[in-house]
Amino acid sequence: VTVPEPHVSDLVVMLDTQYRMHPDIGDLVGELFYKGRLQHGANTRQTATIAAGVPCAGAAIVVADTAGSADCQTPSGSYSRFNERHARIAVEFARQSVEGGADSIAIITPYVEQVRRIGRLLADAPGLADHVECRTVHRFQGGERDVVIFDTVDADPLPPGRLLSGKAAGSSAPNLINVSLSRARGKLLIIADVSYFRRHDPSGVISQVL
């Protein structure tokens, strides 16, 4: 049965308590996707311990703003995208997280080509690939990790891709972004060109997140 307005229907009961995320991450997800109704039942001592680690010790949510310094491209014969500077930042964040003692680390990105590029960088760093998992958003649904690095990839000279832009009717972008953010237990690191999204998609979900 499809319920047109589940948030106000007597037929639907919302499971409104989350037990995974640091409260700061839970507040972000709750405000953006659950109308502020999400409550926190997670072990705050445990999630605070994760947030206290490097990179960016003490912060549960971090935006690494590449601020026009990264280019988004597509390989010849493919529509998938990659961003070399973002990939290197993601791997550096992963390296610091491992050295800081994080038990589980994920790099999540919308594009298969970026997964390939990050995978090669991880393989070139001795032992790092054993501790870090890199997947697309579609492949990561249902998982959770202590540290999540969400690489948006999109940047000039290309317009925002449909995987992150919620402009089209029935777009899955909000759900995909929700999945990406809410996999993090204690630390969420977002790599993005903030001004790029503000210029190209100012009312989009990614701009709201940033």
Side-chain angles (χ1 to χ4, degrees):
V1 177
T2 299
V3 180
E5 298 183 31
H7 290 294
V8 296
S9 173
D10 292 335
L11 300 175
V12 175
V13 175
M14 178 178 174
L15 302 178
D16 60 1
T17 303
Q18 66 87 15
Y19 295 92
R20 173 191 301 150
M21 297 172 279
H22 186 288
D24 289 353
I25 303 172
D27 283 342
L28 175 66
V29 170
E31 290 297 324
L32 284 172
F33 304 108
Y34 300 102
K35 300 185 183 297
R37 298 169 61 192
L38 197 62
Q39 305 297 313
H40 310 306
N43 183 332
T44 55
R45 179 177 297 177
Q46 189 176 51
T47 57
T49 297
I50 298 169
V54 294
C56 306
I61 304 174
V62 176
V63 175
D65 183 4
T66 52
S69 65
D71 294 331
C72 184
Q73 304 173 54
T74 58
S76 178
S78 172
Y79 291 105
S80 193
R81 299 180 175 202
F82 69 93
N83 186 320
E84 291 285 2
R85 178 164 170 74
H86 279 213
R88 294 185 182 282
I89 293 171
V91 171
E92 174 59 20
F93 278 157
R95 183 191 65 77
Q96 293 181 35
S97 298
V98 169
E99 292 179 354
D103 290 331
S104 56
I105 302 152
I107 302 174
I108 304 176
T109 179
Y111 303 106
V112 172
E113 184 60 32
Q114 188 75 344
V115 170
R116 294 192 186 105
R117 307 255 168 174
I118 291 171
R120 288 197 286 267
L121 292 174
L122 290 172
D124 289 341
L128 191 56
D130 295 335
H131 302 279
V132 183
E133 183 175 13
C134 181
R135 292 187 183 185
T136 62
V137 179
H138 292 91
R139 296 293 300 274
F140 210 85
Q141 298 193 53
E144 61 180 73
R145 297 292 184 273
D146 287 355
V147 177
V148 166
I149 302 159
F150 178 43
D151 177 8
T152 61
V153 180
D154 285 351
D156 288 324
L158 301 179
R162 62 181 179 82
L163 293 176
L164 292 184
S165 176
K167 294 179 180 178
S171 170
S172 62
N175 181 61
L176 293 175
I177 295 168
N178 183 6
V179 167
S180 301
L181 305 184
S182 62
R183 300 308 94 188
R185 295 181 62 234
K187 190 179 288 285
L188 171 65
L189 300 147
I190 304 170
I191 306 170
D193 185 331
V194 176
S195 64
Y196 165 86
F197 285 107
R198 286 178 176 164
R199 283 186 286 111
H200 289 284
D201 194 16
S203 61
V205 179
I206 279 288
S207 292
Q208 294 176 45
V209 169
L210 298 173

